[in-house]
């Protein structure tokens, strides 16, 4: 079972018009309208949603989710949104739901069974899935701290196009942080001022617990480093795989019973019960 309608690649005006039209035709107020952050979120969520749910891909990521749900349809309890938490503190209102940990990918990766299955399919190295996951989280700590500080301090650093695989020492299977900082500094016109350097160093020195690493690590960063490690350890006869394929495998491997154990599931279920809305099918 799944949602009865999926709307992708619509503009802001098209989404608003479509929801207004559907609201007008929904005489018994049975439908629920869910805004998801991106195409991957739509693919992931559709199998967990009831048949009366209409699922929309946002026109502008999490910003679009917030605008449609809280500003345009703020008074409608049956128009809700699901998005990444990223590095934001606090909530965005009771109609906006956020994935466990930093984002969708990290919520999935935190599941031992799912990550073990993906490792069995793509990773041919010596480490087990628990050790490998922690290794990746720790190697990405500097990049995660930079993302967190950029978000919290309004630095607006440009990370797009940053090559994690090029910064990877293939012999040691570790990231060269000097290469990462050099590339980021060049992309952002010398952002490494004395103040920024001191702030980065202070946060870099902090010890992060496992769940804290899940909270600060960006899912695509994890997928890219995991993909690079799979490439290093694969047999020569095995075809290379791209990180988006691995992310698709992560989404596919996350079952209804896995979803029912998440905080996201509980929050949506509680909201649906509070307002008598049929949102989830599991």
């Amino acid at each position: 079972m799944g949602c009865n309608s999926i709307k992708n690649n619509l503009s802001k005006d098209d989404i608003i018009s479509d929801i207004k039209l559907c609201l007008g035709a929904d005489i018994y107020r049975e439908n629920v309208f869910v805004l998801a952050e991106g195409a991957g979120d739509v693919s992931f969520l559709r199998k967990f949603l009831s048949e009366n749910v209409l699922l929309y891909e946002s026109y502008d990521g999490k910003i679009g989710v917030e605008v449609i749900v809280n500003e345009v349809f703020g008074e409608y309890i049956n128009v809700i949104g699901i998005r990444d938490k990223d590095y934001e503190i606090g909530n965005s209102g009771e109609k906006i739901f956020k994935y466990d940990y930093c984002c969708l990918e990290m919520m999935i990766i935190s599941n031992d069974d799912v990550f073990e299955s993906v490792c069995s399919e793509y990773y041919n190295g010596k480490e087990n899935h628990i050790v490998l996951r922690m290794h990746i989280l720790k190697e990405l700590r500097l990049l995660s701290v930079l993302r967190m500080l950029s978000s919290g301090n309004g630095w607006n650093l440009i990370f797009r196009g940053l090559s994690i695989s090029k910064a990877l020492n293939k012999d040691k299977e570790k990231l060269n942080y000097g290469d990462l900082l050099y590339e980021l500094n060049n992309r952002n016109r010398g952002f490494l001022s004395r103040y920024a350097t001191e702030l980065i160093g202070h946060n870099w020195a902090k010890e992060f617990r496992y769940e804290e690493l899940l909270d600060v690590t960006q899912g695509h960063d994890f997928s890219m480093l995991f993909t690079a490690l799979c490439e290093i350890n694969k047999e020569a006869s095995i075809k290379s795989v791209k990180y988006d394929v691995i992310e698709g495998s992560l989404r596919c491997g996350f079952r209804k019973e896995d979803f029912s154990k998440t905080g996201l599931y509980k929050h949506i279920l509680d909201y649906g019960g509070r307002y008598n809305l049929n949102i989830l099918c599991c």
Side-chain angles (χ1 to χ4, degrees), residues 107-203:
M107 184 179 79
I108 299 172
I109 288 163
S110 71
N111 184 288
D112 290 343
D113 293 336
V114 175
F115 188 60
E116 182 180 21
S117 295
V118 171
C119 287
S120 297
E121 179 67 23
Y122 298 111
Y123 176 70
N124 197 37
K126 62 181 181 180
E127 307 293 357
N128 66 46
H129 66 288
I130 300 295
V131 174
L132 177 63
R133 179 173 57 196
M134 196 63 178
H135 171 68
I136 294 173
L137 290 171
K138 287 183 175 180
E139 284 301 301
L140 289 170
R141 188 159 61 100
L142 176 61
L143 186 54
S144 300
V145 164
L146 286 166
R147 288 187 181 277
M148 179 181 68
L149 291 175
S150 177
S151 175
N153 293 280
W155 292 351
N156 298 317
L157 296 181
I158 299 170
F159 292 92
R160 184 179 296 276
L162 182 69
S163 177
I164 289 176
S165 61
K166 287 183 180 179
L168 180 64
N169 183 314
K170 294 179 173 56
D171 294 325
K172 297 181 179 180
E173 299 191 9
K174 290 179 174 289
L175 289 175
N176 186 321
Y177 300 128
D179 288 351
L180 279 177
L181 287 173
Y182 179 80
E183 187 173 347
L184 275 172
N185 201 43
N186 284 342
R187 287 170 178 271
N188 294 279
R189 297 183 179 181
F191 83 96
L192 282 176
S193 64
R194 179 180 176 184
Y195 169 74
T197 303
E198 289 177 354
L199 198 56
I200 292 166
H202 174 74
N203 283 271

Side-chain angles (χ1 to χ4, degrees), residues 59-102:
Y59 66 91
D60 186 20
K62 63 185 179 183
I63 294 174
V65 172
E66 299 268 358
V67 169
I68 296 294
V69 174
N70 284 338
E71 296 181 18
V72 180
F73 295 99
E75 73 275 22
Y76 290 88
I77 59 173
N78 58 335
V79 180
I80 65 173
I82 300 174
R83 47 155 289 196
D84 293 339
K85 181 174 66 174
D86 293 325
Y87 304 103
E88 294 182 11
I89 299 173
N91 62 61
S92 303
E94 69 168 349
K95 299 204 302 164
I96 299 290
F97 302 91
K98 297 175 183 178
Y99 297 111
D100 297 20
Y101 305 115
C102 186

Side-chain angles (χ1 to χ4, degrees), residues 25-31:
D26 185 20
I27 300 174
Y28 300 105
R29 293 293 185 265
E30 295 177 339
N31 291 336

Side-chain angles (χ1 to χ4, degrees), residues 11-22:
S11 68
K12 176 183 178 181
D13 290 341
D14 287 340
I15 292 174
I16 293 171
S17 296
D18 194 78
I19 293 177
K20 285 182 176 179
L21 183 65
C22 293

Side-chain angles (χ1 to χ4, degrees), residues 221-236:
D221 291 343
F222 188 102
S223 300
M224 288 180 182
L225 183 51
F226 175 73
T227 303
L229 292 173
C230 290
E231 178 69 18
I232 290 172
N233 289 282
K234 76 177 181 65
E235 300 290 338

